Amino acid sequence: MQASTRWLPCQQENPCAYNDCMSATHDTISHALSRVARLHRSAAGQLLRRLGLHPGQELLMMQLWDHGPQPQSQLIDLLGLDASTVTRMVQRLEQAGFVRRRRSDDDRRAVVVEPTAAAQALQEQVVHAWQQLEDLTLRGLDEPERAAVAELLGRIENNLSQPG
Amino acid sequence: MQASTRWLPCQQENPCAYNDCMSATHDTISHALSRVARLHRSAAGQLLRRLGLHPGQELLMMQLWDHGPQPQSQLIDLLGLDASTVTRMVQRLEQAGFVRRRRSDDDRRAVVVEPTAAAQALQEQVVHAWQQLEDLTLRGLDEPERAAVAELLGRIENNLSQPG
DNA sequence: TCTGATTGCTTGTACGGCCAATTAAATGCC
DNA sequence: GGCATTTAATTGGCCGTACAAGCAATCAGA
């Protein structure tokens, strides 16, 4: 990340048409959150890359590791994702050999997703990568500060979970 | 969000193969961050929808509103995105009528991106939507707590910005 | 029992985002 | 000047993600 001052604005007819000093879209927590989210996802991507997973897939796998085989509808609930998203994620994870799909006998509409042996072998590595990510993310924050982050994120999550 | 207990695990040969009580992939701040990020982006999407913008595009437009016409390379730096991402975002924003592109005279490789009149008309609405998003996100947090969020997110951003 | 509503899932389409490979222009070094 | 290196941008390919539309199985009420 080097400084980028090779472009100096205000060389046009109306010099003050743009807010160089006082940004109309001043920095907000929403801005910071967007940046942090992308950086965090990117870091996760680098760690998961070698394991053959794309960021986002590890969250689905973790649900399977934690709660065992379950219908897609439950994955959708737990992950909070769109149904179509989960459908295609599961299709790709099946293609990659990490999950298996079968139609449920109880409800012939439902599809039960279960981890494969290959996924079991993967679990340990993913947990490790996730730990590395956590360490990298929270480097330099002591325990009370980490607790504060967790608490504040929890409240923000709550805010965003319930409608406007 | 209704409870989802219609699926009870542990009805298989090996009852304790899955960690229902003590999750191996226990809840982390990285997890919370992922969830909050998706919720936040989703909320932004709903607010930007009526304005004809997709989440992510508003950040690019804000750069243009704040700093005026500038080469794509600078947008890439400021937004921290991949060059290919910005290329296609700008193409779509041009298609939508919000930006114009011209080759720079100084450097015939460079493409200068500038907001259109339609974009100027949009700015006010986007700023308002962004304010709504900020309010929704931080609802119930008092000023010291908001400051704490900003400070902690800043440190996390710093952590994630520098290599491993 | 039949029928309308609901539920589970899929496919089409589109965007944000990344990596890899490529082209063209500018720069730097000899 | 000439050539290797760097830089700006683009395109192809892939995945995550969402919305809209649609199909099939299930459920509930008349």
Side-chain angles (χ1 to χ4, degrees):
Chain A
M1 299 283 177
Q2 30 237 23
S4 39
T5 45
R6 64 191 175 292
W7 183 264
L8 301 174
C10 281
Q11 296 171 341
Q12 40 210 311
E13 309 105 44
N14 181 354
C16 285
Y18 302 100
N19 328 307
D20 289 309
C21 359
M22 184 179 147
S23 163
T25 58
H26 48 279
D27 215 19
T28 58
I29 288 178
S30 289
H31 256 107
L33 191 52
S34 304
R35 288 193 304 267
V36 167
R38 205 165 23 68
L39 287 168
H40 184 262
R41 188 182 183 85
S42 167
Q46 288 195 344
L47 289 167
L48 293 171
R49 197 178 179 65
R50 69 198 68 179
L51 306 183
L53 285 182
H54 293 265
Q57 297 183 328
E58 86 280 16
L59 298 173
L60 194 155
M61 293 308 302
M62 286 176 180
Q63 290 300 331
L64 293 180
W65 288 324
D66 283 359
H67 306 306
Q70 56 200 281
Q72 245 175 236
S73 59
Q74 177 148 342
L75 287 174
I76 290 164
D77 282 358
L78 291 174
L79 296 169
L81 295 173
D82 190 86
S84 61
T85 298
V86 173
T87 289
R88 275 188 267 251
M89 262 170 106
V90 168
Q91 286 172 347
R92 284 161 182 151
L93 285 168
E94 182 177 44
Q95 189 69 23
F98 294 132
V99 307
R100 222 186 326 271
R101 304 160 66 200
R102 62 179 156 80
R103 285 220 105 83
S104 168
D105 291 328
D106 303 349
D107 185 339
R108 322 246 325 149
R109 295 168 300 181
V111 170
V112 175
V113 183
E114 59 186 9
T116 63
Q120 295 300 331
L122 199 67
Q123 178 173 6
E124 186 187 350
Q125 293 175 277
V126 169
V127 170
H128 181 240
W130 200 253
Q131 184 58 54
Q132 282 181 274
L133 179 62
E134 190 81 351
D135 290 346
L136 173 63
T137 303
L138 300 177
R139 190 167 33 163
L141 277 70
D142 61 29
E143 208 35 68
E145 288 169 332
R146 295 178 185 216
V149 172
E151 198 258 340
L152 292 167
L153 278 182
R155 287 169 64 188
I156 290 176
E157 179 176 0
N158 216 52
N159 282 345
L160 295 172
S161 293
Q162 38 204 125
Chain B
M1 300 280 177
Q2 29 235 25
S4 40
T5 44
R6 64 191 175 292
W7 183 262
L8 302 173
C10 281
Q11 295 171 340
Q12 41 211 312
E13 309 104 44
N14 181 352
C16 286
Y18 302 99
N19 328 307
D20 289 310
C21 357
M22 184 179 148
S23 165
T25 58
H26 47 281
D27 215 18
T28 57
I29 288 178
S30 288
H31 256 106
L33 191 51
S34 304
R35 288 193 304 268
V36 167
R38 205 164 24 66
L39 288 168
H40 184 263
R41 188 183 183 84
S42 167
Q46 288 195 345
L47 289 168
L48 293 171
R49 198 179 179 66
R50 69 198 69 180
L51 307 184
L53 285 182
H54 293 266
Q57 297 183 330
E58 85 279 17
L59 298 173
L60 194 155
M61 292 309 302
M62 285 175 180
Q63 290 300 329
L64 293 181
W65 287 324
D66 283 359
H67 306 306
Q70 57 199 281
Q72 249 175 232
S73 59
Q74 176 149 339
L75 286 174
I76 290 163
D77 282 358
L78 292 175
L79 295 169
L81 295 173
D82 191 86
S84 61
T85 298
V86 173
T87 289
R88 277 189 264 251
M89 259 170 107
V90 168
Q91 286 172 347
R92 285 163 181 150
L93 284 169
E94 183 177 43
Q95 189 69 24
F98 295 131
V99 305
R100 222 187 324 272
R101 303 160 67 201
R102 61 178 158 80
R103 285 219 104 82
S104 167
D105 290 329
D106 304 348
D107 185 339
R108 320 237 339 143
R109 296 168 300 180
V111 170
V112 175
V113 183
E114 59 185 13
T116 63
Q120 294 301 330
L122 198 68
Q123 179 174 6
E124 185 187 352
Q125 293 175 278
V126 169
V127 170
H128 181 240
W130 200 253
Q131 184 57 54
Q132 281 183 275
L133 178 63
E134 190 81 351
D135 291 345
L136 173 62
T137 303
L138 300 177
R139 189 168 33 164
L141 276 70
D142 61 28
E143 209 35 70
E145 288 170 331
R146 295 178 185 215
V149 172
E151 198 259 340
L152 291 166
L153 278 183
R155 287 169 63 187
I156 291 176
E157 179 176 2
N158 217 53
N159 282 345
L160 295 172
S161 292
Q162 36 205 125

